[in-house]
Amino acid sequence: MDEETTGDSETLLERPGPAELRKPVLFRTYRRRWFLLVVICLLNCSNAMLWLTFAPVADKTAAYFHISMDTINWLSLVYLLISIPFGLVATWILDTVGLKCAVILSAWLNMVGSVIRTFSVISFLSLGSLTYTYLFIGQCLCALAQPLVIFSPTKLAALWFPDHQRATANMISSMSNPLGILIANLLSPTLVSEEKDIPRMLGLYAIPAVTACILATVGVHDKVPPTPPSASATHSTSQPFFKGLKMLLRNKPYVILMVCFGAGIGMFTCFSALLEQILCVRGYSNFFAGLNGALFTVFGLLGAFLLGLYVDKTRKFIESTKVCFCLTALASIAFAVMSQFRNQAFPLALISSLFGFFGFSIYPVAMELAVECSYPVGEGTSTGLIFVSSQIQGVILMLLLQALTVQISSAPFSTCDIEEGGALDWTVPTLVMAGACSVVACFYVIFFHTDYKRLRAEASNAASINKIGTEATAPEA
């Protein structure tokens, strides 16, 4: 028996209409929603691992493939570039074709890309100058999977989970992406102590992708549950894609959220991709950079978990995001200042932890807030546009930060590999990133205000059904 039939997993309602046509409406949850959650979590985690495989060991990867550090950065940057045009396609797939297609397609793109990446380090293939080409092609396929993977959590939560579990389900599946970043930050420096370890790293990173692909292909059968878990789930794709797109672009609160939250994601993307390069010039090791990235993510997961539970109970989406955004801006300023000094391991670790705790916790709540302020537009479209905005801003910011770096002729304490391109001073870029974060936080706090449209629609629907039920039973009293 797949259905859960205990507790509050079923709600019996009356449909309005003539007495002879009135039928019971059953809202039901299914145990297999947890399997879908596991699959999407594994996909999210695997895709993030593939994205940031090389960032913690950028210098050794550059030496192994005999390429510059800027070329290595393109392995991360390509995710942002590809996700901009394909993000719109991904929103259409989710809201028009369905969740099942999105999950299976993303699983296959992710798996094939991870396998092709390993071709670049297989010696008997004798690829010669094409090794980096295969690596880049594999990374591009993984990048194609990213929008489908990242847009899926809100769709899964809306279609398969009841209203009191939505924020938590979205938090769990969304935070599996930074969990992948955490694993990459810890695993890559551990696996790669010298250049020759790069092939082993690529092979191990392909295992989660293959596992997720098998689970998605074999286990995902339905794009929607047979019976919806809530009233809003019955209208999850009520607006056609292009009509929904127009509605979003005319929705002032949504546009503000899209710009501000998109900027926040873009900054976190740059921070994760460039952390090792920022710290190594001051004498910090790859291991310490990976540790900071890990603390950044671990405390981010903790913050997201706690804030998700809080918002599920209080429904204070706006207040929570505004407070956390301001605290994130303060943490970014502290990091920009402290990263300029040597031998500041403890303060940097503490700041990275706070930066992640307040910054990452906004992510799942803001995704739910995007759906609330844009209802009844489809969840894939509302979250997808924010993601596309974040990728555009991430590309601009990453290119700007790299352009603001200054070549250092003498860096006696640097632990960077200076054979390819030399050491770079990141003082100005980190200060610019902190300033941008502060400006965006202030703008969001001052200008963002919205109603919770989905919650209001559900409350109105419940009130109307209760009224109908009372009228129907009154004559029998």
Side-chain angles (χ1 to χ4, degrees):
M1 186 76 174
D2 189 50
E3 297 86 353
E4 292 182 6
T5 56
T6 59
D8 58 356
S9 60
E10 291 186 350
T11 306
L12 189 63
L13 301 173
E14 291 288 326
R15 256 184 211 150
E20 65 272 16
L21 296 177
R22 191 174 291 130
K23 297 179 181 179
V25 180
L26 188 64
F27 293 150
R28 176 171 292 163
T29 56
Y30 295 83
R31 289 191 182 95
R32 64 176 175 271
R33 73 187 187 276
W34 300 110
F35 174 79
L36 293 172
L37 184 65
V38 168
V39 171
I40 289 178
C41 284
L42 185 56
L43 270 174
N44 254 308
C45 184
S46 168
N47 190 259
M49 289 170 61
L50 295 171
W51 169 41
L52 286 182
T53 302
F54 309 104
V57 288
D59 51 350
K60 291 181 173 59
T61 306
Y64 180 85
F65 287 101
H66 305 291
I67 52 180
S68 68
M69 293 290 284
D70 283 344
T71 307
I72 288 297
N73 287 338
W74 274 100
L75 294 172
S76 299
L77 195 59
V78 71
Y79 263 67
L80 309 186
L81 289 173
I82 286 180
S83 296
I84 293 169
F86 192 67
L88 296 175
V89 177
T91 60
W92 177 84
I93 291 173
L94 266 171
D95 282 339
T96 306
V97 182
L99 182 65
K100 174 186 174 181
C101 175
V103 171
I104 294 177
L105 177 60
S106 63
W108 276 92
L109 286 171
N110 199 53
M111 187 270 289
V112 173
S114 69
V115 172
I116 289 177
R117 295 194 329 163
T118 63
F119 291 171
S120 65
V121 293
I122 297 177
S123 57
F124 68 80
L125 291 179
S126 302
L127 296 176
S129 60
L130 293 177
T131 54
Y132 180 76
T133 303
Y134 273 78
L135 184 66
F136 191 76
I137 290 172
Q139 199 76 350
C140 288
L141 289 175
C142 297
L144 283 172
Q146 189 188 44
L148 292 167
V149 168
I150 287 185
F151 300 172
S152 295
T154 50
K155 194 71 172 177
L156 173 70
L159 289 176
W160 287 86
F161 286 83
D163 56 356
H164 65 280
Q165 293 179 349
R166 276 199 305 251
T168 302
N170 192 27
M171 177 272 298
I172 293 171
S173 50
S174 296
M175 286 299 98
S176 59
N177 187 270
L179 178 62
I181 296 173
L182 164 66
I183 294 172
N185 275 309
L186 291 176
L187 192 59
S188 290
T190 303
L191 292 174
V192 181
S193 56
E194 46 189 319
E195 300 164 20
K196 66 178 183 180
D197 297 325
I198 296 291
R200 178 178 61 176
M201 177 182 71
L202 290 178
L204 287 175
Y205 274 51
I207 295 174
V210 173
T211 305
C213 184
I214 294 172
L215 289 176
T217 305
V218 173
V220 179
H221 303 296
D222 304 306
K223 66 178 184 179
V224 294
T227 304
S230 66
S232 62
T234 62
H235 305 290
S236 183
T237 55
S238 57
Q239 296 299 325
F241 175 71
F242 289 106
K243 183 180 178 181
L245 209 56
K246 291 179 182 177
M247 289 174 64
L248 291 178
L249 295 177
R250 293 172 182 170
N251 185 332
K252 182 181 174 182
Y254 177 83
V255 171
I256 293 173
L257 181 67
M258 177 181 70
V259 172
C260 295
F261 184 47
I265 298 176
M267 290 174 202
F268 274 59
T269 298
C270 292
F271 180 84
S272 300
L274 301 173
L275 182 60
E276 183 265 342
Q277 297 171 55
I278 294 171
L279 294 179
C280 72
V281 72
R282 301 298 175 192
Y284 298 101
S285 66
N286 282 2
F287 176 78
F288 179 73
L291 178 63
N292 270 261
L295 291 171
F296 173 70
T297 309
V298 166
F299 280 87
L301 293 170
L302 177 61
F305 174 73
L306 295 176
L307 192 64
L309 293 178
Y310 174 75
V311 169
D312 253 345
K313 292 183 179 296
T314 64
R315 299 291 192 257
K316 292 184 177 180
F317 296 92
I318 297 175
E319 297 87 344
S320 301
T321 52
K322 286 186 175 182
V323 170
C324 286
F325 220 141
C326 290
L327 294 172
T328 301
L330 292 175
S332 70
I333 294 170
F335 178 83
V337 174
M338 293 307 299
S339 62
Q340 308 314 312
F341 300 98
R342 298 186 61 249
N343 302 318
Q344 300 296 322
F346 180 76
L348 280 172
L350 178 61
I351 292 167
S352 295
S353 302
L354 294 174
F355 195 22
F357 185 84
F358 296 117
F360 267 125
S361 62
I362 302 173
Y363 182 83
V365 178
M367 285 298 191
E368 281 292 300
L369 187 55
V371 176
E372 290 293 340
C373 75
S374 63
Y375 184 83
V377 177
E379 297 81 11
T381 306
S382 60
T383 56
L385 270 189
I386 289 180
F387 181 75
V388 171
S389 168
S390 75
Q391 303 301 73
I392 294 172
Q393 294 182 75
V395 169
I396 295 171
L397 186 60
M398 186 172 284
L399 293 176
L400 175 63
L401 296 181
Q402 290 184 82
L404 292 173
T405 57
V406 179
Q407 193 85 28
I408 301 176
S409 56
S410 175
F413 303 108
S414 174
T415 58
C416 306
D417 190 314
I418 60 174
E419 293 179 9
E420 299 286 345
L424 299 173
D425 182 4
W426 289 84
T427 302
V428 174
T430 52
L431 290 172
V432 168
M433 186 163 64
C437 187
S438 302
V439 169
V440 171
C442 291
F443 185 83
Y444 179 75
V445 169
I446 295 170
F447 294 105
F448 182 77
H449 307 282
T450 187
D451 293 328
Y452 300 149
K453 296 180 180 179
R454 180 171 63 177
L455 290 174
R456 188 176 62 186
E458 288 180 339
S460 174
N461 180 68
S464 122
I465 290 173
N466 288 336
K467 182 179 178 182
I468 292 166
T470 302
E471 291 174 354
T473 56
E476 300 178 8

